Amino acid sequence: MVATFTHEWNTPAYKGKTSFPTGLFINGQFVDGSNGTDIEVLNPTNGKLITKVSEATEKDVDIAVEAARKAVETTWGLNVSGAQRGELLNKLGNLMEEHKGELAALEALDNGKTFDWAFGTDVTFGISVIKYYAGWADKIHGQTIETDEKKLIYTRHEPIGVVGQILPWNFPLLLFTWKIGPALATGNSIVLKSSEFTPLTAIRMAGLIQEAGFPPGVVNIITGYGNTVGNAISTHLGIDKVAFTGSTLVGRKVMEAAAKSNLKQVTLELGGKSPNIVFNDADLDQAVNWSAHGIFWNHGQACCAGSRIFVQAGIYDQFLAKFTEKARSIKVGDPFETDTDQGPQVSQIQYDRIMGYIDSGREQGATVHLGGDRKGTEGYFINPTIFTDTKPDMKIVREEIFGPVGVVIKFEDEEDVIRQANDTVGVRVVYGLAAAVFSQNINRALETAHKLKAGTAWVNCVNQLHPNVPFGGYKQSGIGRELGEYAVH
């Protein structure tokens, strides 16, 4: 019998309650996993058990794929008009609005991000993504192509079929919407794996999808481990495309599995080591505030985090002083306190990984200018950390840390910083997801941005994402684009 998770919040940031089944959501119903086993979901503020959810296996993937295939061939796909698909997506967006506080609280509970950020960014943005793709659903069309008067030639865009989707743990709900929005708008059915660390919002969304009236089998949501369920989705012959967000290491495995099975299409949104470039003529306070947001937002657990902060020599000392002051002002603590800026890292595994990088920075000779230590005695809290006196071949400079750890690097001129940011000589930084440039000279800012090997380049801001603007990377930061019209195609 499928268990039910019930929880009540009475906190400064949110007061409310939730109750929903914790089973797998397959063919429109909540069910236990085939093996009858569970996955423990832990609270990152203290490492204690929140609840248990049903664990999926390879057999459950088979069952979900069968349900998804039946749906796309009978009650979904080309059997349903774009207008009807859009109406259902709008209903889902409206239900998310009605449950906005509950969804934000669940996100803060198992992920550790602050309730205010979850409410104001993750859930709010997620709703706008669903409604954006609701608008696209009846605007999918091909072309007529003129050759001669004896022929009628046309193209049409058809659903791919069954899409496998594998979510990360850093933005569980937001990236849930990035994945399902364009897939459902274009008539595909879905088998989605939530992260075993942060499954609660995905499971709660299953109930809202059911309530919205999507036909059974259109969206199937399962929780399992990457080496079993993630691998089963990537290799499954009944899945026509797989979309994955996560590390570059795992992205390689997904792509290899897709190629070795049925050569399924892939969309990969992978790691990053984004350069954040501050020129002498930048608005210093603006650059400091945005740079702090760039690296410390979401506790540094963002693929587009501006973790390499390049500052021109003329303002380096001033910038570092102000940036240090800004980082010191960040309050690390309980995600449900209204004045908390940064909660815990998501798990013990991630905490240990970040602290390992901090130790590596020390061992390789970098200076811990600020932080570098844990906060408190329980949970997975790490203080905002700044390194200086780094060298290009240090691990903290070239590898993705995925935590509140930034390196501040001095540069001399445009040629110098473009070389360091792209790292085209040593090829030590393999990523190219995002970048930012700060300058009051718009020509310099745009010319620099255009020379950076990054999928997104921000000018005088960072981490500005919109439903209608595509997002994706260069180099080993991924393949394909999410959001905007690009994701529809």
Side-chain angles (χ1 to χ4, degrees), residues 425-488:
V425 178
V427 196
R428 287 173 288 252
V429 178
V430 299
Y431 303 111
L433 188 58
V437 180
F438 290 87
S439 172
Q440 295 187 76
N441 182 327
I442 193 63
N443 290 333
R444 175 184 293 119
L446 291 177
E447 287 172 6
T448 302
H450 292 169
K451 292 175 183 177
L452 297 173
K453 296 185 183 301
T456 296
W458 293 292
V459 172
N460 293 327
C461 63
V462 297
N463 295 341
Q464 297 301 290
L465 303 170
H466 305 275
N468 57 337
V469 178
F471 182 76
Y474 283 18
K475 299 195 281 187
Q476 293 180 38
S477 285
I479 295 172
R481 294 294 181 266
E482 296 190 296
L483 298 179
E485 182 180 354
Y486 285 67
V488 173

Side-chain angles (χ1 to χ4, degrees), residues 81-83 85-86 90 131-142 157 185-186 485 488-489:
S81 70
R85 296 196 298 270
N90 267 321
K131 292 189 172 184
Y132 172 78
Y133 285 109
W136 261 108
D138 63 354
K139 300 172 185 66
I140 312 298
H141 56 80
H157 292 176
T186 50
E485 182 180 354
V488 173
H489 303 305

Side-chain angles (χ1 to χ4, degrees), residues 166 226 244 246-256 268 270:
I166 304 173
F244 168 79
S247 71
T248 297
L249 177 66
V250 177
R252 288 178 184 275
K253 295 179 180 179
V254 170
M255 189 171 183
E256 181 182 12
L268 304 174
L270 308 176

Side-chain angles (χ1 to χ4, degrees), residues 188-211:
N188 298 283
S189 59
I190 295 168
V191 177
L192 180 145
K193 185 191 97 66
S194 61
S195 168
E196 64 272 22
F197 294 108
T198 55
L200 296 183
T201 46
I203 298 172
R204 184 66 187 96
M205 284 294 293
L208 299 186
I209 287 167
Q210 188 181 48
E211 187 176 346

Side-chain angles (χ1 to χ4, degrees), residues 168-171 175 244-251 269-275 294-295 297-308 349-350 352-358 360 392 394-407 428-434 463 471 476-478:
W169 46 254
N170 58 332
F171 293 97
L175 295 184
F244 168 79
T245 297
S247 71
T248 297
L249 177 66
V250 177
E269 199 270 275
L270 308 176
K273 192 72 177 174
S274 300
I295 179 56
W297 175 50
N298 208 49
H299 326 160
Q301 296 170 156
C303 51
C304 55
S307 53
R308 292 185 295 150
I349 293 172
Q350 187 61 17
D352 291 342
R353 184 175 185 271
I354 296 165
M355 294 305 292
Y357 273 107
I358 291 173
S360 168
M394 289 181 176
K395 288 177 66 176
I396 59 171
V397 176
R398 59 188 175 85
E399 295 184 13
E400 184 178 43
I401 299 173
F402 225 62
V405 182
V407 296
R428 287 173 288 252
V429 178
V430 299
Y431 303 111
L433 188 58
N463 295 341
F471 182 76
Q476 293 180 38
S477 285

Side-chain angles (χ1 to χ4, degrees), residues 267-289:
T267 296
L268 304 174
E269 199 270 275
L270 308 176
K273 192 72 177 174
S274 300
N276 192 67
I277 298 169
V278 183
F279 283 102
N280 285 337
D281 65 348
D283 180 317
L284 189 57
D285 289 336
Q286 179 191 54
V288 165
N289 288 333

